[in-house]
Amino acid sequence: LTVVFAGDGAAAGSYGYTNSGYSVYEEENDRLTESLRSKVSAIKSLSIEIGTEVKNQNKMLSEMENDFDSTGGLLGATMARLRTLSRGSQTKLLCYMMLFSLFVFFVIYWIIKLR
């Protein structure tokens, strides 16, 4: 790089700026450019991390949706069985409840007796 000086010590084509004044502006521009470059780099890495996190969250949401679908199917089948049970005779249901109560009573009695 060669600099051609005019007669008064200013570089030719610098439009009246002296070399020292021009270099101050150039150094300031370089400093600001480097600052901007580092900020852009930080924003780029942050956006890449956000993209990765979004992909992970979408994957987890998809898995959770599949789990909810399977749970919904199981709950639907259970509700259908309960409806079938409730449509049956009330005598049968009462008999089942009595047998269950007796079973629980004997289990509790047996546990107390073993102590």
Side-chain angles (χ1 to χ4, degrees), residues 42-52:
I43 290 173
K44 179 182 175 184
S45 65
L46 184 63
S47 66
I48 289 171
E49 289 176 16
I50 288 173
T52 303

Side-chain angles (χ1 to χ4, degrees), residues 31-70:
R31 187 182 62 76
L32 290 174
T33 302
E34 189 59 38
S35 173
L36 183 62
R37 184 175 291 125
S38 67
K39 288 177 184 177
V40 167
S41 175
I43 290 173
K44 179 182 175 184
S45 65
L46 184 63
S47 66
I48 289 171
E49 289 176 16
I50 288 173
T52 303
E53 185 65 26
V54 166
K55 286 178 187 176
N56 290 338
Q57 294 293 328
N58 283 338
K59 181 182 173 187
M60 286 191 335
L61 281 174
S62 176
E63 291 171 359
M64 194 165 27
E65 181 181 2
N66 292 339
D67 291 343
F68 280 138
D69 286 343
S70 66

Side-chain angles (χ1 to χ4, degrees), residues 39-111:
K39 288 177 184 177
V40 167
S41 175
I43 290 173
K44 179 182 175 184
S45 65
L46 184 63
S47 66
I48 289 171
E49 289 176 16
I50 288 173
T52 303
E53 185 65 26
V54 166
K55 286 178 187 176
N56 290 338
Q57 294 293 328
N58 283 338
K59 181 182 173 187
M60 286 191 335
L61 281 174
S62 176
E63 291 171 359
M64 194 165 27
E65 181 181 2
N66 292 339
D67 291 343
F68 280 138
D69 286 343
S70 66
T71 304
L74 181 64
L75 185 60
T78 303
M79 291 303 289
R81 288 188 197 123
L82 282 175
R83 271 188 237 110
T84 303
L85 184 62
S86 68
R87 288 184 198 141
S89 69
Q90 296 299 326
T91 309
K92 227 182 202 183
L93 183 60
L94 187 59
C95 182
Y96 286 143
M97 291 298 288
M98 290 296 280
L99 287 174
F100 179 74
S101 299
L102 283 172
F103 174 75
V104 170
F105 174 75
F106 282 122
V107 168
I108 292 173
Y109 178 75
W110 183 67
I111 290 173

